[in-house]
Structure formats: C-alpha cells, structure tokens
C-alpha cells in the first residue's frame, strides 16, 4: 500500500527538498536494476502519485540522467550518468593500476603503502598495502585525513593552483594535531614548494606522534596530479635518513602508476 500522504506535498521546503533527492536517487536505482520502466511502474515502486513520478523523471531527463526509449513511454538511464561516473571511474582505475605497484613497494620499502586522492578538503585513502613489518598498523582505507598534516595531502596541495590551494586550506583549516604540525601558512607553503622541487613530500610526526610518512604524485594522461602514493611507518624505523634513501624508489613507483594511467612525461 502506498505511504503517500497529503503531508508529503505540504511539508516544509527543506523536508520536500531532501525527499525529492531521495526519490530521484531511488528512480535511478530502479532503472539501473530493471533496465527500463514506465511512469506507472516507477510510481508504484517509490510509492508516489503518477504525476509526482512523471515530474521526477522529467527533471532527471532534463539533466540527461534518464531518457525515453522510443514511443513506448518507458525510461532508461541516460548518458549523463557516464559524465557523473567519470570522476569515480578515474579513481577506481588508480587502484586497479596501482595495486601491484603498491604490493611491490611495500616489500621493497618494508612499510605500509597507500594511494590517496583529494576529496573536497581532505585526502582520502583508496588503497592500502601493509608492509612486512606493519603488524597492527591502522587501516586508513576510506579515512578522510587532513591535507596539511599528511604526506599525501601535502602532495595533493602542492600541485593545486594557488587559488584552489587557498580555498582547500580555508575549508579544512590548519589545526595543530601534534607539536610538529605545520599551522603557519608561510611555513606550509615553503614546505609544499620543497615537495614540488624534490618530487615528494614528508610528514614528520605531524599527524600522529611516532609516525613518519612520505608521498609522491601520481599523474593522469594530461599530466594533472590526481593522486598521491605514500609510505608510512614508525619513527624509530622509518627515519628521515631512511625516507631520503627510499624516496627514489617511491617516486619510481608513482611514475610507473602514472604511465599506467597514460602519462607519457
């Protein structure tokens, strides 16, 4: 039985807005599952009046997210979905192309290796491979980490155009997480410039006491930095000297993934 009530149409604008988004997503999921469906079928599945389903489909059609299949009154997903999926697809490709490289690097470096991308004003980890000595290491996959206090975040920041970097830092803030976290904008900018010049960034107990990390940039086919690959470990083992020695290994790994992504530079 439909759970539609008159209150659904008379609720406040904020409630109606969220409800409309929820219904629109449900419509897309229905079409993804069924392949195609008519207005009446959609209305029944999301428990709304046929007129409401028609309006939802019309709005999605206007954005190219759904399209009509000939003259049968049926709808299916449109090519606008491909446009939206493109950003995620690129990120998924990074993990696919980078997994074997990360596995090799974790063995060569002996520490945990991660691939991260920029999401809004965070660095989010998509892939992690633990090194042979990394028993009990925190699982960073899916974690949103502060850009100013992580090696991956620094790499991603360093290669943003200055206006975008300013906006990201303004949104994230530069909270002091440990006594070693860089919170001064001038000191951070100097640190990022050094990362660009030498090809990798480091974070020395800036996120957590006892944790060191370094990261190098991964580039897309057009040369844009789209991700960072990092290696992290305990300070007693992954010392500054050790990181400096292993930086060329990490950079070569980043370059290999970049080439797999189509970068020819």
């Amino acid at each position: 039985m439909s759970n539609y009530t008159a209150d659904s149409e008379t609720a406040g604008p904020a409630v109606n807005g969220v409800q409309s988004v929820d219904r629109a997503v449900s419509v897309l999921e229905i079409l993804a599952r069924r392949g195609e469906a008519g207005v009446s079928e959609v209305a029944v599945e999301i428990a709304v009046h046929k007129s409401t389903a028609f309006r939802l489909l019309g709005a999605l059609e206007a954005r190219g997210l759904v399209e009509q299949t000939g003259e049968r009154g049926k709808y299916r997903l449109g090519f606008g979905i491909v446009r939206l999926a493109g950003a995620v697809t690129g990120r998924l490709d990074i993990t696919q192309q980078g997994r074997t490289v990360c596995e090799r690097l974790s063995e060569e470096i002996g520490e945990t290796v991660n691939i991260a991308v920029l999401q809004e004003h965070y660095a989010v980890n998509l892939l992690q491979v633990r090194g042979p000595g990394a028993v009990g290491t925190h699982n960073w996959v899916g974690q949103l980490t502060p850009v100013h206090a992580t090696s991956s975040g620094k790499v991603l920041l360093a290669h943003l155009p200055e206006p975008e970097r300013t906006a990201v830092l303004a949104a994230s803030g530069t909270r002091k997480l440990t006594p070693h976290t860089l919170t001064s904008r001038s000191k951070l900018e100097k640190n990022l410039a050094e990362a660009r010049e030498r090809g990798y960034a480091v974070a020395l107990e800036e996120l957590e006491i006892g944790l060191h990390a370094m990261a190098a940039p991964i580039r897309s086919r057009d040369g844009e930095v789209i991700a960072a690959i990092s290696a992290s470990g305990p300070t007693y083992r992954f010392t500054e000297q050790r990181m400096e020695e292993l930086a060329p290994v990490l950079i070569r790994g980043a370059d290999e993934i970049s080439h797999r992504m189509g970068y020819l530079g």
Side-chain angles (χ1 to χ4, degrees):
M1 185 174 73
S2 170
N3 60 6
Y4 177 85
T5 67
D7 289 341
S8 300
E9 295 298 320
T10 58
V15 174
N16 275 337
V18 172
Q19 189 178 55
S20 294
V21 171
D22 184 64
R23 287 172 172 172
V25 172
S26 295
V27 171
L28 296 175
E29 290 175 340
I30 289 166
L31 296 181
R33 185 177 70 249
R34 299 179 60 151
E36 60 179 42
V39 176
S40 298
E41 295 167 295
V42 169
V44 169
E45 284 224 32
I46 62 175
V48 298
H49 288 164
K50 186 176 178 179
S51 60
T52 300
F54 184 77
R55 287 197 301 271
L56 284 168
L57 286 162
L60 292 169
E61 185 179 20
R63 295 300 186 98
L65 299 177
V66 305
E67 61 187 20
Q68 293 192 56
T69 59
E71 300 178 359
R72 295 179 294 158
K74 299 278 189 178
Y75 289 82
R76 63 188 175 195
L77 293 179
F79 284 101
I81 291 291
V82 177
R83 182 184 68 248
L84 294 180
V88 176
T89 301
R91 293 179 178 184
L92 293 176
D93 284 345
I94 292 170
T95 63
Q96 291 166 358
Q97 299 300 329
R99 183 174 296 278
T100 56
V101 176
C102 288
E103 290 171 350
R104 189 185 72 239
L105 287 177
S106 71
E107 290 292 332
E108 290 182 19
I109 295 175
E111 305 293 350
T112 296
V113 175
N114 279 275
I115 289 180
V117 297
L118 189 66
Q119 179 175 310
E120 296 179 348
H121 52 274
Y122 296 100
V124 58
N125 292 282
L126 303 181
L127 173 68
Q128 175 171 299
V129 178
R130 298 186 181 193
V135 178
T137 297
H138 179 75
N139 182 5
W140 294 100
V141 175
Q143 297 292 308
L144 302 176
T145 59
V147 287
H148 71 291
T150 58
S151 60
S152 292
K154 287 183 182 182
V155 163
L156 297 168
L157 275 177
H159 294 277
L160 284 177
E162 198 280 331
E164 290 183 38
R165 184 162 64 250
T166 297
V168 169
L169 286 172
S172 66
T174 51
R175 188 162 62 92
K176 200 168 190 67
L177 303 170
T178 77
H180 305 286
T181 307
L182 298 180
T183 57
S184 162
R185 181 63 189 272
S186 60
K187 289 182 179 179
L188 182 57
E189 285 291 351
K190 181 181 179 181
N191 192 263
L192 297 179
E194 290 171 353
R196 283 191 297 271
E197 182 177 346
R198 67 187 173 195
Y200 69 99
V202 297
L204 307 174
E205 296 189 279
E206 296 167 49
L207 178 65
E208 293 180 3
I209 293 296
L211 180 68
H212 277 176
M214 63 176 177
I218 296 172
R219 299 178 184 274
S220 66
R221 177 164 36 185
D222 60 6
E224 177 188 1
V225 173
I226 53 174
I229 184 169
S230 67
S232 59
T235 53
Y236 70 84
R237 187 173 64 217
F238 207 41
T239 62
E240 289 186 61
Q241 181 180 348
R242 179 74 173 148
M243 285 194 288
E244 187 174 344
E245 292 170 354
L246 290 168
V249 176
L250 185 70
I251 292 170
R252 283 196 298 272
D255 290 343
E256 182 178 343
I257 299 173
S258 297
H259 292 152
R260 292 185 178 201
M261 296 295 294
Y263 180 58
L264 300 177

